[in-house]
Amino acid sequence: METIIKKIDIHSKKPEDFSKAAYILQQGGLVAFPTETVYGLGADGLNKEAAKKIYYAKGRPSDNPLILHIADKDALDVLAIDVPKNAKKLAEKFWPGPLTIILKKSIQVPKETTGGLNTVAIRMPAHPLALELIRRSHVFIAAPSANTSGRPSPTCASHVFEDLNGKIDMILDGGSVEIGIESTIIDMTSEIPMILRPGFITREMIEKEIGTVSYDRVVLLEKPDTHILPKAPGMKYRHYAPKGNLCIIEGKMEQVIDYISCNVHKKILQGNRVGIIATEETKEQYKEGIVKTIGSRKDEKTILQGLYSVLREFDSLKVEYIYSESFSEGEHGQAIMNRLLKAAGYQKEKI
């Protein structure tokens, strides 16, 4: 299969910019496209054969649910049943935006899309190209991240091409994404709404709208649990992982820098290529290894935006060992650490 790449202006609404991609989706094909979070790999979410193609192209386990992307809030009543008032309240507040809501699925949604579950994950993306593609294709687009399963999620079209060239029909290149990590996922079918994956929309932001919210225990785990049934994307399997061995170092910053520097020196003496995930504030303090700046602690958004790109850069440099500072502090610390821990296979050292 030859993968078509079409560069498109982020604010384009020209029919000709979307006609080919819309046709591919209508015919059961696969199109990668930008959202405000990461690039998604889209197919017609109500077409079970199209949904199967997503799993095949990504090498994704079939029990890992997909998220349905919509362009109109009224779609909730088509795709879900027994939609609680608080779910509609969250949709009014945060849609379009990086919040995925889990509800009881309607009969129209095939279990091939939901990973065999009786629930469905739904969100309305805030990216203008994503919304335009949904509208022009006239399908509800099932779309996980557009990468090989387990790899760092794609934040630009070149990342998608690197992983999926020849496996999918088309890539819409809308430039780099704005946020850089996947959406927050909240389960509205439980008695107390439950966050299954942290993201840009925080627990505090949600509780301000609907009151008490809990976390699924998987979010709080610091080691993998392969026995769980994933209720949402990214809950069970290792994700976002670079090819090198990644370890997170947690503690007082001075001690973290000393510990990383010492271990980097040892690994280099053993003949290894070693990388360091640092920040603008600390990068000059590392004298050895391949130092990559993830962003600035003074602006957490830069850390969100830089995470996956840095992990992919280390892959391109054939780095064998990576040491990362911890990012547990701050408004989005939990979301950042959720991705880093999974990328590291839960390897973390407290000093």
Side-chain angles (χ1 to χ4, degrees):
M1 178 190 296
E2 181 184 353
T3 299
I4 303 164
I5 303 174
K6 183 174 180 59
K7 195 163 181 62
I8 183 170
D9 180 83
I10 189 172
H11 298 296
S12 176
K13 292 196 174 183
K14 298 175 184 175
E16 60 268 26
D17 282 340
F18 298 91
S19 56
K20 180 69 175 177
Y23 178 77
I24 289 169
L25 290 171
Q26 290 162 1
Q27 297 303 306
L30 302 178
V31 177
F33 61 97
T35 77
E36 77 279 21
T37 57
V38 298
Y39 270 71
L41 177 57
D44 180 353
L46 301 190
N47 178 338
K48 63 183 181 181
E49 296 305 320
K52 287 180 185 178
K53 289 181 182 179
I54 292 177
Y55 290 101
Y56 182 77
K58 284 176 60 73
R60 181 185 178 96
S62 60
D63 65 347
N64 202 359
L66 306 175
I67 294 173
L68 280 175
H69 290 63
I70 63 175
D72 188 326
K73 296 185 185 82
D74 291 342
L76 275 179
D77 295 319
V78 177
L79 301 174
I81 59 172
D82 302 328
V83 180
K85 288 180 181 178
N86 276 344
K88 292 192 174 182
K89 201 170 181 181
L90 290 179
E92 283 300 320
K93 176 66 179 179
F94 297 113
W95 283 359
L99 180 70
T100 294
I101 300 174
I102 291 183
L103 301 161
K104 293 177 184 176
K105 81 174 193 69
S106 74
I107 196 169
Q108 292 197 51
V109 183
K111 288 197 173 181
E112 285 78 4
T113 295
T114 67
L117 301 176
N118 290 318
T119 54
V120 59
I122 305 170
R123 93 172 182 99
M124 184 189 295
H127 198 289
L129 295 185
L131 290 172
E132 197 66 21
L133 179 62
I134 298 165
R135 293 187 185 110
R136 292 193 179 276
S137 65
H138 302 289
V139 302
F140 301 119
I141 301 180
S145 55
N147 57 310
T148 301
S149 189
R151 293 270 287 129
S153 297
T155 54
C156 62
S158 64
H159 295 164
V160 182
F161 186 81
E162 178 185 340
D163 280 12
L164 299 177
N165 179 35
K167 298 178 182 179
I168 65 175
D169 299 284
M170 189 174 190
I171 301 170
L172 283 183
D173 181 356
S176 295
V177 302
E178 180 185 354
I179 293 176
I181 64 166
E182 300 80 0
S183 60
T184 304
I185 299 178
I186 185 163
D187 184 356
M188 297 301 293
T189 67
S190 55
E191 188 175 340
I192 297 174
M194 185 179 295
I195 292 174
L196 307 185
R197 181 176 72 187
F200 190 80
I201 304 296
T202 65
R203 177 182 186 171
E204 290 72 23
M205 293 163 71
I206 293 170
E207 287 188 330
K208 189 175 178 182
E209 302 302 318
I210 63 169
T212 302
V213 169
S214 66
Y215 282 114
D216 188 281
R217 69 180 185 87
V218 175
V219 175
L220 306 175
L221 286 178
E222 294 202 358
K223 60 182 180 179
D225 185 345
T226 56
H227 301 293
I228 63 167
L229 178 67
K231 295 183 283 185
M235 291 190 73
K236 179 177 180 180
Y237 301 95
R238 188 182 181 207
H239 277 263
Y240 327 117
K243 294 172 184 174
N245 183 290
L246 170 62
C247 185
I248 303 158
I249 311 303
E250 190 171 83
K252 292 182 179 178
M253 190 51 63
E254 255 182 49
Q255 294 174 323
V256 166
I257 292 167
D258 287 344
Y259 183 92
I260 290 175
S261 297
C262 180
N263 279 274
V264 167
H265 181 70
K266 289 177 184 176
K267 293 292 185 188
I268 290 173
L269 288 179
Q270 293 166 3
N272 298 296
R273 292 178 68 79
V274 190
I276 300 168
I277 297 178
T279 63
E280 288 294 332
E281 291 80 12
T282 61
K283 63 181 180 180
E284 300 299 335
Q285 298 184 57
Y286 297 105
K287 306 305 179 186
E288 293 183 282
I290 300 169
V291 182
K292 293 292 179 183
T293 302
I294 195 174
S296 170
R297 291 185 187 272
K298 294 175 183 175
D299 184 357
E300 261 191 317
K301 290 181 182 178
T302 62
I303 294 172
L304 295 173
Q305 291 166 344
L307 174 58
Y308 294 140
S309 292
V310 163
L311 293 177
R312 283 182 176 265
E313 281 182 54
F314 283 131
D315 282 352
S316 68
L317 293 168
K318 296 182 170 32
V319 168
E320 298 159 284
Y321 292 91
I322 306 165
Y323 292 94
S324 176
E325 297 172 4
S326 174
F327 297 91
S328 55
E329 301 298 322
E331 184 181 14
H332 299 293
Q334 187 175 59
I336 296 165
M337 289 303 292
N338 173 265
R339 272 56 171 196
L340 261 181
L341 278 168
K342 286 180 177 291
Y346 293 88
Q347 289 189 88
K348 182 174 77 167
E349 301 225 6
K350 294 184 179 180
I351 58 170

